[in-house]
Amino acid sequence: MKVYYECGACFLRQAREAMNLVTDDNDLKIDLMKDILNFLAKNYKKGASSNKIGSAMHRIIKDKTNCEDPYTNEKIMGNKIAMEFLPKIKSLLKEDDSLENYIKIAIVGNILDFGALGLNFDPQEFIMSNLDKDLSVNNIDLLKEAINNNAKVLYLADNTGEIVFDKLLIEKLNEMGLEVTVALKEKPILNDACLEDAVAIDLDKIANLTTLGTDSVGIIHEEASDDFKKLFDSSDFIIAKGLGNYEGLTEIDLEGKDAFSLLCAKCSAIAKDIGVEEKDNVLLKL
């Protein structure tokens, strides 16, 4: 996805929040913000890729603060919130075990995104208010067709916490006969899930796990490892969670692939790009 005008303000908000998570050194933060402003001045322009800019910006913060994982506590919080909701989620799925309901639950999990929504929102209230919403874009029939036509699916994970809800959908896909490979981040970026986060919730027991070989926001094909590029290029069926993966996939030639994006449109730029309202939930064939 190309940047929209409001992406600039969002980058600066994310930068401020990430810096506040890792340091109280005002001088360091001034120097770091200067670096980020200089970077954005050179790279933030019409036609620029939004997740490439975001990835580079967060790497600047990690490098200059010598902190590999600024969002450590937020990732722990995301897992805690997800686990607290799991009994309620499972009870809802007992009442309605349709594929569409599993999709909705997975998308509700996408709300656990401190990068898009900031640090000062109430995730529990937001989750509950979204559980009963209809999908604004609902390509469920096309998804079912892809499931029937494929034996394997590459599942691009998004956030820690969210993967607890993804696990439920992946179990459903297993029941429908699909072999699932879940792709995670090689190193921390924002609150995205890494390999160890997936193993911690036993995702390795129901799916093959791999990494992109990098710490990009979403997927950036040219930055991924050779192994992941081979896997991605050979995958005919892809399910991608979240904003970053949507931003990345819309920059990749997907001809011949059944690629689906599952997300909550948590920012105005994504909503505009898809053609929905902000905070709408979406199952979109790309």
Side-chain angles (χ1 to χ4, degrees):
M1 187 184 85
K2 308 304 183 187
V3 293
Y4 285 75
Y5 87 91
E6 55 264 61
C7 294
C10 185
F11 289 138
L12 292 176
R13 174 189 59 78
Q14 284 191 29
R16 184 193 72 238
E17 290 177 347
M19 284 188 278
N20 287 341
L21 288 173
V22 296
T23 181
D24 294 323
D25 186 333
N26 186 65
D27 290 341
L28 174 59
K29 286 194 278 191
I30 288 175
D31 287 344
L32 188 45
M33 186 59 78
K34 182 179 178 181
D35 289 345
I36 289 168
L37 290 170
N38 286 335
F39 169 78
L40 290 175
K42 294 177 182 177
N43 295 280
Y44 178 72
K45 55 191 173 184
K46 184 178 180 180
S49 168
S50 54
N51 68 324
K52 287 182 182 178
I53 288 181
S55 299
M57 183 191 75
H58 282 284
R59 289 168 186 155
I60 291 170
I61 295 169
K62 291 195 296 180
D63 289 344
K64 192 145 189 173
T65 61
N66 293 314
C67 179
E68 184 183 46
D69 194 359
Y71 286 78
T72 297
N73 291 332
E74 283 61 41
K75 290 164 71 174
I76 293 170
M77 188 190 308
N79 274 340
K80 182 176 182 292
I81 293 168
M83 294 307 294
E84 287 174 355
F85 272 86
L86 196 56
K88 179 175 181 61
I89 296 300
K90 287 184 174 180
S91 69
L92 291 171
L93 290 173
K94 283 184 179 180
E95 296 172 10
D96 179 359
D97 66 349
S98 64
L99 175 63
E100 183 168 339
N101 210 31
Y102 276 86
I103 293 290
K104 287 182 178 180
I105 295 299
I107 293 173
V108 165
N110 184 237
I111 291 165
L112 294 172
D113 186 350
F114 298 97
L117 293 171
L119 303 176
N120 298 315
F121 80 106
D122 184 341
Q124 296 192 22
E125 179 181 348
F126 200 18
I127 288 171
M128 295 308 300
S129 67
N130 273 266
L131 279 174
D132 294 327
K133 288 174 63 174
D134 290 332
L135 299 174
S136 295
V137 178
N138 187 356
N139 292 157
I140 187 71
D141 290 338
L142 295 175
L143 180 64
K144 288 178 179 178
E145 184 179 333
I147 291 171
N148 291 332
N149 292 337
N150 292 277
K152 299 179 180 181
V153 61
L154 174 61
Y155 196 103
L156 304 180
D158 190 21
N159 302 319
T160 303
E162 180 179 350
I163 56 173
V164 173
F165 298 99
D166 290 332
K167 184 179 177 183
L168 300 171
L169 174 57
I170 290 166
E171 288 172 335
K172 182 71 170 178
L173 295 174
N174 286 165
E175 291 176 10
M176 299 177 76
L178 281 174
E179 178 184 339
V180 183
T181 298
V182 180
L184 304 126
K185 299 301 163 58
E186 178 77 16
K187 297 180 291 185
I189 185 85
L190 287 167
N191 60 322
D192 288 9
C194 296
L195 191 63
E196 58 269 25
D197 302 311
V199 171
I201 64 165
D202 294 330
L203 198 56
D204 55 316
K205 295 181 179 178
I206 64 167
N208 306 312
L209 302 185
T210 189
T211 77
L212 276 66
T214 185
D215 61 347
S216 58
V217 174
I219 177 174
I220 301 175
H221 188 274
E222 61 264 35
E223 292 188 6
S225 67
D226 289 342
D227 286 344
F228 180 77
K229 287 176 186 174
K230 290 176 184 177
L231 173 62
F232 181 89
D233 294 344
S234 65
S235 295
D236 296 323
F237 183 18
I238 298 167
I239 294 175
K241 291 296 300 298
L243 309 192
N245 282 320
Y246 171 83
E247 293 172 40
L249 285 179
T250 53
E251 295 286 300
I252 299 172
D253 182 2
L254 299 173
E255 185 176 357
K257 296 184 184 296
D258 288 318
F260 294 83
S261 185
L262 281 59
L263 59 82
C264 172
K266 291 168 287 192
C267 74
S268 57
I270 292 284
K272 287 178 183 178
D273 206 68
I274 297 174
V276 297
E277 296 297 318
E278 196 170 345
K279 299 181 182 178
D280 278 356
N281 298 327
V282 171
L283 163 56
L284 173 68
K285 188 176 190 302
L286 298 171

